Amino acid sequence: MSTHPADALEGVGTEAVEPAMIARARAAGEGVVKRTPVVSSATIGRRVGGQVVLKAENLQATGSFKIRGALSKLADLGDVAARGVVAGSAGNHAQ
C-alpha cells in the first residue's frame, strides 16, 4: 500500500476538459470575472531552471481564481441555485 499523498487522488479530477465546458464556464463569469493578464517571472524561472508564467488572478475582486469556479458551479446548478445556495469555506471561498 502506497503512503504517497498523491496516490490518494488517483482517478480524481481526471475528466477530460472539453471546449464546450470552457465556453460554459466563461459565459458564467461574464460581467463579473475580470480578464487578467499572464505575466512571466524571470526570478522564479531562474530558480527552477525554466520559463515560468503566472496568471494574475490576484487582480480579481476576491484576490484569487475562486470566483471562476464558484460562478461556473452555480451556472451548472441552473434553476436549482435560484432557491438558494449555502457554501462553507475557511479559505478564499469564504470571502
Side-chain angles (χ1 to χ4, degrees):
M1 178 170 207
S2 173
T3 59
H4 194 279
D7 292 341
L9 298 175
E10 188 172 329
V12 174
T14 58
E15 177 184 356
V17 177
E18 301 291 333
M21 296 164 75
I22 295 169
R24 281 195 308 273
R26 185 175 192 176
E30 194 72 32
V32 177
V33 175
K34 293 180 183 176
R35 185 174 181 152
T36 56
V38 174
V39 296
S40 63
S41 174
T43 302
I44 298 172
R46 280 191 299 275
R47 287 184 176 189
V48 300
Q51 181 182 15
V52 173
V53 293
L54 307 168
K55 182 76 167 134
E57 291 295 279
N58 58 308
L59 300 176
Q60 296 294 346
T62 59
S64 77
F65 67 92
K66 307 286 182 162
I67 190 70
R68 293 181 189 275
L71 291 174
S72 179
K73 183 60 179 179
L74 289 173
D76 285 347
L77 290 173
D79 293 339
V80 174
R83 294 186 299 187
V85 176
V86 176
S89 173
N92 290 340
H93 279 295
Q95 295 178 0

